[in-house]
Amino acid sequence: MASLITTFKEAMICIAHGYRVQPGEVVTVLMDADHRLEAEALAAAANAAGGEVTVLDISSQVARGLLAPGIPEPPKNVFGAVTSSDVVIVKTNIDYAHRFAHTKAVRTAVDNQAKIASVEEGLGTWGLTIDDITLVQKRTEALVKAFEGADKVKITTVKGTNLTLSIKGRPPLLVTPIREKGVMMGPMPLWGEVAFAVIEDSAEGVYVADGVMNIVAPFGLKEPITVSVKNGRAIDFKGGAEAAHLKHVIESSDANANVVAEFSIGTGHLEKLGTLSEKGMLGTIHLALGDNHSAYPGGKNVSKLHIDATIRSPTVEVDGKLVIKEGKVVIPY
């Protein structure tokens, strides 16, 4: 368990070097009861930076959101707080926070030029330094350059993934510890990610999810799930009980829930396997089914679901150029 001193120390790094709270900025901290200590440490750090800070306990919304697999749109009082703030800090259950990032409330806050991010699990235990934040930023920016003007992406793994997709004309979304105004919500401060909205009818082939999957297996799949894809849609799911559950969740949602919507590369070096923060971990990629309209530049698919699944140790080629080999980034940074 983290001490109060180390929790506040890492909260100060998050506020000063991630959110970069300025004097007079309106700061809203959303928390649930399980994360009260961390939320109060972040609020105290934001107050010390001169922010005008309000802490909202949204435990009831988090509980309700975790009981349903969809995107958890908040009530209008929370919506108003989020959309009228300069800085929004989300310190709740991480599965809820990841899905909250796809709400209309967040989209509106981003359009209003807010700085918004969730804070990952383990505040006060990471051994986080400013150099860690700088390195994730640098690595993520290098990968963005490798994808400039890209069209075809090919993903393979030793477990059987063989998938192609297109990101032609789709701008990248950078998710890094350094939060900018008007950039979509993501986790911080360990997280790094380069994400793209996939051209909605372009994905073809098979991918084998062998890491974590929000909603279905947030702490890691017990058995890999093999997803067959045709014309951009997942049409078959093979595996164990978790594959059956994934199929049920998708078929119980809407007509666009099975679209391959997102392709993303993790760039964070302090993340750990077996947590939802694995999605931002160097050596993984993740693919998502469902919505890409709310959170990703150029995305056109609208759905009530957004289900991410990580693929460990992938090989990734971009228009025939090798970028990642079995989880290792092969371009310089």
Side-chain angles (χ1 to χ4, degrees), residues 58 61-62 64-65 68 70-79 83 96 99-108 291 294 303-304:
I58 61 166
Q61 283 84 45
V62 172
R64 185 173 63 213
I71 294 170
E73 293 291 347
K76 62 182 180 180
N77 53 348
V78 178
F79 184 99
T83 57
Y96 174 88
R99 289 185 284 128
F100 183 80
H102 298 271
T103 61
K104 294 176 183 177
V106 170
R107 176 74 262 174
T108 304
D291 190 86
S294 298
S303 174
K304 294 183 291 185

Side-chain angles (χ1 to χ4, degrees), residues 102 135 163 266 326:
H102 298 271
L135 179 56
L163 186 77
E326 295 181 359

Side-chain angles (χ1 to χ4, degrees), residues 234 237 245-254 257-258 289 305 307:
F237 307 89
H245 180 45
L246 173 61
K247 181 179 180 181
H248 172 73
V249 169
I250 289 172
E251 291 180 346
S252 299
S253 186
D254 53 70
N258 68 338
L289 299 175
L305 284 183
I307 302 180

Side-chain angles (χ1 to χ4, degrees), residues 10-332:
E10 293 192 343
M12 289 290 287
I13 293 175
C14 291
I15 294 300
H17 300 280
Y19 292 100
R20 294 179 291 175
V21 172
Q22 302 299 308
E25 285 189 321
V26 174
V27 180
T28 296
V29 182
L30 303 181
M31 57 150 278
D32 62 23
D34 289 340
H35 298 88
R36 184 177 299 277
L37 173 63
E38 298 98 318
E40 290 178 349
L42 290 159
N47 267 314
E52 301 291 339
V53 184
T54 299
V55 180
L56 296 181
D57 186 336
I58 61 166
S59 297
S60 59
Q61 283 84 45
V62 172
R64 185 173 63 213
L66 291 175
L67 292 172
I71 294 170
E73 293 291 347
K76 62 182 180 180
N77 53 348
V78 178
F79 184 99
V82 169
T83 57
S84 60
S85 297
D86 300 309
V87 179
V88 182
I89 301 168
V90 181
K91 191 71 202 81
T92 65
N93 172 280
I94 197 70
D95 189 6
Y96 174 88
H98 285 202
R99 289 185 284 128
F100 183 80
H102 298 271
T103 61
K104 294 176 183 177
V106 170
R107 176 74 262 174
T108 304
V110 169
D111 290 343
N112 291 343
Q113 297 300 296
K115 293 178 284 187
I116 181 168
S118 57
V119 176
E120 297 168 86
E121 299 287 358
L123 180 67
T125 68
W126 302 315
L128 180 70
T129 68
I130 299 170
D131 287 343
D132 291 318
I133 288 176
T134 302
L135 179 56
V136 172
Q137 186 77 23
K138 182 179 178 182
R139 185 186 292 128
T140 307
E141 290 172 350
L143 273 168
V144 167
K145 289 182 180 179
F147 280 83
E148 285 182 355
D151 178 2
K152 296 294 183 183
V153 177
K154 183 176 182 179
I155 307 160
T156 57
T157 66
V158 296
K159 292 186 178 180
T161 297
N162 191 345
L163 186 77
T164 59
L165 55 86
S166 175
I167 55 171
K168 186 176 182 179
R170 297 287 168 89
L173 172 65
L174 281 72
V175 182
T176 73
I178 299 175
R179 306 309 300 162
E180 303 287 354
K181 293 181 180 180
V183 174
M184 276 307 300
M185 175 180 164
M188 65 88 76
L190 313 182
W191 193 286
E193 176 184 357
V194 180
F196 294 89
V198 175
I199 300 295
E200 287 76 12
D201 61 354
S202 69
E204 294 281 347
V206 173
Y207 69 90
V208 181
D210 61 348
V212 299
M213 182 178 292
N214 65 305
I215 299 173
V216 174
F219 301 106
L221 291 161
K222 296 177 182 178
E223 183 178 340
I225 297 176
T226 300
V227 182
S228 298
V229 178
K230 186 175 179 60
N231 296 326
R233 293 180 179 268
I235 58 172
D236 190 39
F237 307 89
K238 287 186 169 61
E242 292 161 325
H245 180 45
L246 173 61
K247 181 179 180 181
H248 172 73
V249 169
I250 289 172
E251 291 180 346
S252 299
S253 186
D254 53 70
N256 290 329
N258 68 338
V259 171
V260 178
E262 176 198 357
F263 161 70
S264 182
I265 299 173
T267 61
H269 57 278
L270 293 179
E271 304 287 22
K272 295 180 180 179
L273 295 174
T275 71
L276 279 178
S277 289
E278 176 182 317
K279 295 190 294 177
M281 181 178 179
L282 188 65
T284 72
I285 66 165
H286 64 268
L287 299 170
L289 299 175
D291 190 86
N292 67 6
H293 175 261
S294 298
Y296 303 96
K300 297 178 180 179
N301 194 57
V302 178
S303 174
K304 294 183 291 185
L305 284 183
H306 182 89
I307 302 180
D308 294 302
T310 58
I311 298 171
R312 297 173 179 173
S313 301
T315 295
V316 178
E317 298 173 59
V318 182
D319 293 330
K321 178 184 176 182
L322 184 65
V323 175
I324 299 173
K325 182 175 176 60
E326 295 181 359
K328 307 294 184 183
V329 175
V330 299
I331 60 171

